[in-house]
Amino acid sequence: MCGIFAYFGPKEKAADIVLKGLKKLEYRGYDSWGIAAKQKDGRIYIEKHVGKISEVISLEDSLTSPSHLAIGHSRWATHGGVTQFNAHPHADENNKVVIVHNGIFENYAELKQELIEDACLFSSETDSEVLAHLIAKNMDEGFEKAFQKAISRLKGRYAVLAICEDEDKLIAARRGSPLIIGQGEDTYFVASDVPAFLAYTKEVMYLDDEQMVVITKDGATFSSLESGKTIKKRLISIDWEVEEAEKGEYPHFMIKEIMEQKDTLSRTINTAEAKLNEIAKLISRSDRAYIIGCGTAGYVAHIGEYLFAEIANKEVIMRPASEFHLSARFLTEQSVVIAISQSGETADTLEALKLAMNAGAKIVSIVNVESSTMARISDKILPIKAGPEKAVASTKATTAQIAILTLLAHASANKLDEGRQLLIQTMGSINDMLNPRYEDHITSIAGNIMNVQDIMVIGRGISHPVAMEAAMKMKEVSYIHTEGFAGGELKHGPIALIEEGVPSVVIAPDDNFKNEILSNAMELKARGALIIGVSPENAEVFDYWIKTPSAKHANAITHIIPLQILAYKLAVLRQHNPDMPRNLAKSVTVK
Ligand code: G6P
């Protein structure tokens, strides 16, 4: 949710370095963008636009003199429409102080009123602009003091960067939204996510909540926002490769990441036995165990609920993280909350974990970004090691999360080896499945249904959350209205939507529910639906058949992958960019 990036260093092309870095963060928000560069003559040059940044090559020609310090922002609108005025950076009326902001200042309205009464002139409808004016008002006390004073008045969640005309300094602060400092030779980067500066350095320092950092040519000084006390930071080396964060030969990140699923599971399979057993013990000793997440991670949590019940005979209750308050009141110090998240920064999930922490419950997080806030506030972490996931629609992180839950459920049943064997076999069948012929077959099905208004997806048992996840994938990238249901629920309402030719995806793995789901397919067909069967075996009721490997407790993995491909193909055939669906962002850091 909004990407922010800054460069401070000896190179005199700061604006272009920030431009390049912002492109790597565009997945976080892409309705508008902007950059502010501090020029050698002291003045700050600002450029901002509505739309995607991808096509812009250079800004250097617009600058009147070279720049060694620049900040940038790619926006996912919260307060104020998508306009050039509302795009970041924002400045005070004299262009002396310039800021970018990710998050929401909850008390901005009263502060704005006060600033207007103080004769400040606002040029946007955003909550963010108040910060530039608040800093500018106190600049006679020096930039750092003015910044601290301003930030102490703000409520809400934020990651902010600020520069000013009078001093050669970059200041950053965070409360609730991520900020990472990359350190190169005499060079500093500040970004919402590592890929922005991965091409320059892998040495990072994490800014924690309620902290700020002041960067000058002499170095970076971290301090507490509350006490002002200096904080020492450790330099950490990260192990992501530049290529992992690039599209390579693929037209989109989404298909690259779908194909990477041939390999990602192997890293999950190697998760240390001791760690899995330790967490399994925690779960089996708990008085209550919940599993939470948002969006796709929420559906993974739901799949996890089935895995624990079916493999370990253990009830682990799924809740959407944004509604966890319902259950949080029942937590005790003996409870466990398992959080699922790719980014580890989703505000709704973090908020739910805060409730769990307050109750003294143990927190286990299953995350992709190991350095994320979620990972750092958890008692135990299970990193999924899927590598950077850039497409907004999650694919490889999804199956890696399901895989780790499969292992954890097996560990809870004291049969971890069986779980590992199952995943090793599953990996083999995914490798066989993901071939060009398979992709072509799905492309031709997508071609036949690409112009429909609605698609239905049904499944029973563990295929119920798989159906909901598949439906989400299809609607978010193709914009075709798609709904996922439990097969048994169909007759209680959704079947009213079925008419001649409505494509209905029927997920029918080789499990206890196969006959029942095929009966549901018949009910749909009797009302005119076009049946797309996703199953290890063909059935008479199917109009189209997408063959899947039979994978027992790993069926959720082998049956979601072809539907990820179908979603991708539908998006591309309908000429939408699947990597950046409208109105969405990869990491949602507001509630
Ligand atoms: C956003 C994304 C979804 C994602 C959800 C949770 O809404 O658009 O694709 O599933 O956040 O993200 P997380 O990083 O917590 O898995």
Side-chain angles (χ1 to χ4, degrees):
M1 178 128 315
C2 299
I4 62 185
F5 184 48
Y7 167 84
F8 190 140
K11 295 206 171 81
E12 294 203 323
K13 292 212 162 199
D16 277 5
I17 293 172
V18 170
L19 183 75
K20 241 171 139 180
L22 269 192
K23 288 183 185 180
K24 310 251 184 261
L25 292 180
E26 220 181 354
Y27 66 92
R28 299 179 66 88
Y30 34 82
D31 55 40
S32 49
W33 64 275
I35 287 175
K38 184 155 185 199
Q39 305 177 118
K40 241 188 182 152
D41 58 18
R43 294 216 316 272
I44 299 176
Y45 170 79
I46 300 180
E47 176 150 345
K48 41 196 202 178
H49 297 274
V50 167
K52 297 195 172 79
I53 195 170
S54 320
E55 289 86 35
V56 183
I57 307 222
S58 172
L59 293 181
E60 294 300 328
D61 287 348
S62 316
L63 269 62
T64 48
S65 64
S67 155
H68 63 284
L69 167 60
I71 59 177
H73 185 274
S74 102
R75 183 171 187 241
W76 187 87
T78 56
H79 289 59
V82 180
T83 64
Q84 194 179 358
F85 284 123
N86 289 338
H88 296 222
H90 292 289
D92 67 303
E93 56 275 294
N94 302 313
N95 240 18
K96 293 271 184 206
V97 175
V98 183
I99 64 102
V100 294
H101 166 218
N102 169 20
I104 293 176
F105 296 141
E106 285 161 7
N107 59 336
Y108 85 100
E110 58 192 79
L111 290 171
K112 186 168 177 175
Q113 192 50 42
E114 177 191 310
L115 287 159
I116 290 171
E117 280 164 19
D118 225 10
C120 288
L121 295 176
F122 277 77
S123 53
S124 78
E125 304 155 324
T126 65
D127 53 329
S128 312
E129 194 184 334
V130 293
L131 176 60
H133 293 283
L134 280 174
I135 301 173
K137 247 177 63 169
N138 294 305
M139 275 301 278
D140 47 354
E141 296 180 39
F143 185 29
E144 221 174 300
K145 274 260 148 41
F147 180 90
Q148 275 164 331
K149 237 184 184 167
I151 213 87
S152 69
R153 300 208 53 203
L154 290 163
K155 296 200 175 113
R157 306 169 63 84
Y158 53 76
V160 295
L161 302 178
I163 54 174
C164 71
E165 236 183 48
D166 299 346
E167 296 178 40
D168 214 19
K169 271 184 189 154
L170 165 65
I171 307 186
R174 81 164 265 184
R175 180 194 284 156
S177 297
L179 269 188
I180 301 147
I181 291 58
Q183 187 179 320
E185 210 174 315
D186 300 324
T187 305
Y188 288 94
F189 305 89
V190 185
S192 317
D193 200 357
V194 171
F197 54 72
L198 203 52
Y200 303 98
T201 182
K202 290 185 184 172
E203 304 295 305
V204 306
M205 289 175 282
Y206 293 99
L207 194 65
D208 290 309
D209 274 349
E210 311 291 338
Q211 292 182 352
M212 65 182 264
V213 57
V214 179
I215 298 171
T216 65
K217 66 174 180 15
D218 301 321
T221 312
F222 293 79
S223 60
S224 151
L225 278 177
E226 210 183 316
S227 66
K229 275 197 185 134
T230 307
I231 296 166
K232 274 216 146 34
K233 288 278 172 183
R234 219 161 37 95
L235 210 54
I236 298 168
S237 294
I238 44 166
D239 60 2
W240 285 6
E241 294 304 324
V242 178
E243 305 75 53
E244 283 187 300
E246 305 288 346
K247 275 201 293 250
E249 73 217 32
Y250 290 95
H252 299 106
F253 278 110
M254 186 174 173
I255 190 70
K256 174 186 179 243
E257 290 160 5
I258 289 174
M259 292 303 160
E260 278 175 357
Q261 292 174 109
K262 288 179 188 172
D263 303 314
T264 39
L265 294 195
S266 64
R267 289 180 237 159
T268 318
I269 293 169
N270 291 327
T271 307
E273 183 172 340
K275 202 170 192 185
L276 286 162
N277 284 333
E278 200 185 343
I279 297 172
K281 222 176 254 165
L282 206 64
I283 296 169
S284 55
R285 286 185 188 153
S286 64
D287 60 354
R288 281 187 178 82
Y290 291 99
I291 182 162
I292 62 170
C294 292
T296 292
Y299 294 128
V300 170
H302 202 162
I303 289 168
E305 184 176 32
Y306 279 89
L307 290 171
F308 278 104
E310 289 175 0
I311 301 168
N313 201 27
K314 171 84 191 158
E315 185 172 43
V316 177
I317 300 166
M318 180 269 168
R319 291 274 181 263
S322 57
E323 292 298 327
F324 188 58
H325 51 87
L326 173 72
S327 305
R329 70 189 74 210
F330 305 117
L331 293 172
T332 70
E333 286 177 7
Q334 275 71 50
S335 309
V336 172
V337 179
I338 307 169
I340 312 289
S341 177
Q342 189 285 129
S343 63
E345 299 293 349
T346 300
D348 287 320
T349 313
L350 287 171
E351 211 57 32
L353 292 182
K354 233 186 235 168
L355 299 176
M357 279 160 85
N358 290 345
K362 290 272 173 302
I363 298 172
V364 176
S365 62
I366 297 183
V367 289
N368 194 25
V369 183
E370 287 175 55
S371 52
S372 58
T373 310
M374 220 171 283
R376 282 179 294 136
I377 63 166
S378 296
D379 296 291
K380 308 268 173 221
I381 327 165
L382 282 172
I384 60 169
K385 304 222 173 271
E389 189 180 67
K390 301 288 282 293
V392 165
S394 175
T395 54
K396 64 173 179 173
T398 307
T399 48
Q401 286 159 343
I402 302 173
I404 226 153
L405 285 167
T406 310
L407 288 180
L408 198 54
H410 276 92
S412 299
N414 283 323
K415 38 187 192 188
L416 187 52
D417 284 348
E418 205 179 292
R420 279 199 215 278
Q421 277 315 315
L422 171 69
L423 288 182
I424 290 167
Q425 280 162 18
T426 306
M427 254 189 67
S429 35
I430 292 172
N431 249 297
D432 296 344
M433 175 171 71
L434 288 177
N435 60 52
R437 241 178 337 121
Y438 196 70
E439 219 186 307
D440 289 349
H441 175 58
I442 297 177
T443 310
S444 85
I445 297 175
N448 288 328
I449 62 168
M450 62 181 274
N451 293 318
V452 298
Q453 296 259 326
D454 310 285
I455 300 177
M456 301 290 160
V457 190
I458 59 164
R460 277 177 178 258
I462 202 165
S463 303
H464 166 217
V466 175
M468 291 195 289
E469 163 56 11
M472 166 111 112
K473 211 86 303 163
M474 287 191 233
K475 78 178 92 161
E476 70 184 334
V477 297
S478 77
Y479 312 144
I480 298 174
H481 169 242
T482 311
E483 294 297 337
F485 299 107
E489 286 299 306
L490 201 63
K491 55 187 176 295
H492 300 298
I495 204 158
L497 296 173
I498 301 299
E499 48 187 47
E500 201 56 39
V502 172
S504 301
V505 177
V506 175
I507 306 174
D510 219 350
D511 62 15
N512 294 341
F513 302 100
K514 182 144 185 205
N515 291 338
E516 284 172 2
I517 198 75
L518 289 179
S519 301
N520 297 140
M522 294 298 281
E523 290 157 15
L524 288 168
K525 191 159 182 141
R527 286 154 183 88
L530 180 86
I531 308 293
I532 302 166
V534 183
S535 178
E537 279 168 28
N538 204 350
E540 217 184 308
V541 66
F542 297 162
D543 294 295
Y544 298 109
W545 174 40
I546 300 176
K547 189 169 184 208
T548 46
S550 191
K552 301 187 190 113
H553 287 307
N555 274 333
I557 299 176
T558 55
H559 286 69
I560 194 60
I561 293 175
L563 294 171
Q564 295 171 343
I565 301 175
L566 182 61
Y568 171 76
K569 297 293 175 186
L570 283 170
V572 173
L573 289 171
R574 288 165 62 91
Q575 300 191 335
H576 300 306
N577 178 354
D579 287 347
M580 295 184 198
R582 70 181 175 215
N583 304 338
L584 296 177
K586 179 84 182 145
S587 176
V588 181
T589 52
V590 292
K591 282 198 277 174

